[in-house]
Amino acid sequence: MTSDNHTHNRELQRDARAWAAFTGTTYNAALRQMSSPVAQGFLGERVSARQLIAVLDDHELIGAHDGDPILGEGGYLSELPWSFNGKTDFIELALITDMLRMLMPASDATAPEVSSYSLKHTAEWFLRPHCSYVSNGRLIWAAAAVGLRVAAPDDAGLNLLIGVSERGHDYVRRMVGPGQTRPHADHYRPDGYAHLQTELAKAAAGDPTTARWVQSTLVDEAAPFHDWLILQVGRDDVVGDLAGDYAAGIRVSHHRIARTPDELLAIFHEIPHSPEAYDSVVSAIAEWMTTVPSAVPVRTEQTGGDAHGHEGWGAGAGTVARYEYLCPCGDGRIIEEHDNVPGFREHDVQIDCDRCRAEWRFVDGRGVRDWGLEPVAGSTTA
């Protein structure tokens, strides 16, 4: 037996003795819980039973501090005593701490804003079938144990406020909750969401779990057009109205972030919108390109195309290629053609849409294969 394994086993044994004494169960039953594969921490270190017990004594807000218990099964200042079944109580607390770790905010300064009562339901939905019921008190207990900020609202009752990521919690709740509207974008998806879901599914199926999760390194991906558009919120014109609707859609995950004008057009091809809304998109892109002269021209989504050999017209064989792209409004096409046949070498790109021909033009100085679009000055009314 290695030194690390010996140390690990001794920690499990100490936890088992402490948990058995605290819950009134047997040492062997407690040790089985401490040793369970699903209680070893999917998103971090294994939560310690002794740490959990200490929280109920020493925590700044919910600790008893040698007095009467502050936290009960029903929540803050609840007189409902804890109920332990001796079989799964510790395992369930360990899983709740994993779910809360998933929702850890990027900054410790995040103000507690999410109700423990709302979180308890999210935990039940996310952790099924491992936890069919999560009490309000256990959710608060696990949050305090994992180091999240916990606060009592002005109208303090049984529920406390927990300092998890509000947007991340909303994403998870909508993904797993019954009757919820599913998000259409993943920019608020917690980093450990997929890993924890996968490992819980494996455990439920009796399959072995994989190595512990390694948190992704956050990369601040440049989104200059998005940043500019957000700054336009509050303007009293069509661009300001568009920016307000766009920002609202980001907040509720109705659509993804548009890092470039191309991506904003792609979003509008995916969601219902009015002709006036599309006009405001063109106005915003036109203003962006005027504001940032180095802005990359617009390229739309390719929808089809092929290239095939051609026997030629007597001077040798070649190829003929035709590619189709959406036009900016989405109702027509941009057609790019290349005739690479000796004696008939031609390359052409054209907008096959009356509206877009009037509102967009190809940027000068670019080859047919490298075409890019910009709005025609004065094609929309701000």
Side-chain angles (χ1 to χ4, degrees):
M1 180 180 293
T2 66
S3 176
D4 286 346
N5 283 340
H6 181 67
T7 300
H8 177 71
N9 289 338
R10 288 184 61 188
E11 290 300 306
L12 291 179
Q13 292 162 7
R14 289 173 179 170
D15 267 3
R17 283 193 290 270
W19 195 252
F22 180 71
T23 61
T25 189
T26 66
Y27 168 79
N28 286 336
L31 184 59
R32 279 194 293 271
Q33 290 202 67
M34 302 303 122
S35 306
S36 170
V38 296
Q40 304 312 305
F42 290 117
L43 298 183
E45 294 297 324
R46 182 185 71 87
V47 65
S48 163
R50 286 164 290 163
Q51 175 189 352
L52 282 165
I53 295 167
V55 163
L56 296 181
D57 290 329
D58 305 330
H59 189 270
E60 180 181 24
L61 178 61
I62 65 169
H65 300 286
D66 297 325
D68 293 331
I70 301 297
L71 189 68
E73 198 77 71
Y76 186 57
L77 301 178
S78 168
E79 296 182 359
L80 186 65
W82 298 108
S83 175
F84 301 107
N85 62 20
K87 296 179 180 179
T88 60
D89 38 60
F90 175 81
I91 293 171
E92 290 170 359
L93 275 165
L95 289 173
I96 297 167
T97 62
D98 261 328
M99 193 214 72
L100 291 171
R101 281 184 177 129
M102 177 182 68
L103 298 174
M104 281 280 199
S107 169
D108 291 339
T110 300
E113 294 181 341
V114 181
S115 168
S116 59
Y117 192 75
S118 178
L119 271 167
K120 100 175 197 69
H121 286 300
T122 304
E124 289 170 349
W125 297 328
F126 187 86
L127 296 173
R128 283 178 181 161
H130 303 280
C131 291
S132 59
Y133 174 73
V134 174
S135 74
N136 192 32
R138 293 190 194 218
L139 189 288
I140 296 170
W141 186 4
V146 83
L148 289 166
R149 294 182 65 191
V150 180
D154 294 337
D155 55 344
L158 296 174
N159 308 323
L160 295 183
L161 298 177
I162 312 296
V164 298
S165 165
E166 186 175 11
R167 297 296 182 195
H169 172 247
D170 179 69
Y171 177 93
V172 174
R173 185 178 180 84
R174 290 170 58 191
M175 285 297 292
V176 301
Q180 299 288 316
T181 302
R182 300 292 183 261
H184 295 285
D186 297 328
H187 45 270
Y188 291 126
R189 181 174 62 192
D191 192 23
Y193 176 85
H195 178 83
L196 186 52
Q197 264 203 334
T198 298
E199 296 307 303
L200 290 173
K202 287 181 180 178
D207 297 331
T209 57
T210 57
R212 184 173 295 160
W213 172 70
V214 177
Q215 187 171 10
S216 302
T217 301
L218 294 178
V219 177
D220 189 11
E221 189 174 352
F225 180 70
H226 163 82
D227 296 339
W228 174 82
L229 190 55
I230 291 296
L231 290 175
Q232 312 314 309
V233 174
R235 281 175 42 173
D236 187 20
D237 60 8
V238 294
V239 175
D241 293 341
L242 169 71
D245 291 342
Y246 168 80
I250 292 293
R251 283 194 299 273
V252 299
S253 299
H254 184 58
H255 56 73
R256 62 189 183 279
I257 290 172
R259 294 176 173 80
T260 64
D262 307 33
E263 293 184 359
L264 183 63
L265 283 170
I267 289 169
F268 267 71
H269 294 155
E270 295 166 1
I271 62 176
H273 63 271
S274 66
E276 293 77 17
Y278 170 74
D279 289 342
S280 67
V281 168
V282 179
S283 295
I285 293 174
E287 184 175 334
W288 160 254
M289 290 187 165
T290 302
T291 305
V292 184
S294 60
V296 177
V298 168
R299 291 276 298 197
T300 54
E301 177 185 355
Q302 184 174 344
T303 58
D306 62 13
H308 58 273
H310 192 286
E311 62 184 9
W313 307 98
T319 61
V320 175
R322 175 187 171 97
Y323 305 103
E324 295 187 1
Y325 303 80
L326 280 178
C327 65
C329 78
D331 292 331
R333 301 171 298 173
I334 293 173
I335 300 173
E336 178 187 330
E337 294 179 304
H338 304 277
D339 289 340
N340 297 305
V341 178
F344 296 90
R345 297 183 183 275
E346 295 182 2
H347 304 276
D348 183 56
V349 62
Q350 57 181 303
I351 301 173
D352 187 21
C353 172
D354 292 340
R355 178 176 185 176
C356 289
R357 272 198 301 272
E359 294 183 344
W360 297 82
R361 66 185 175 199
F362 291 105
V363 175
D364 293 335
R366 300 174 75 92
V368 170
R369 295 183 186 276
D370 190 35
W371 61 266
L373 297 171
E374 62 183 2
V376 174
S379 63
T380 58
T381 302

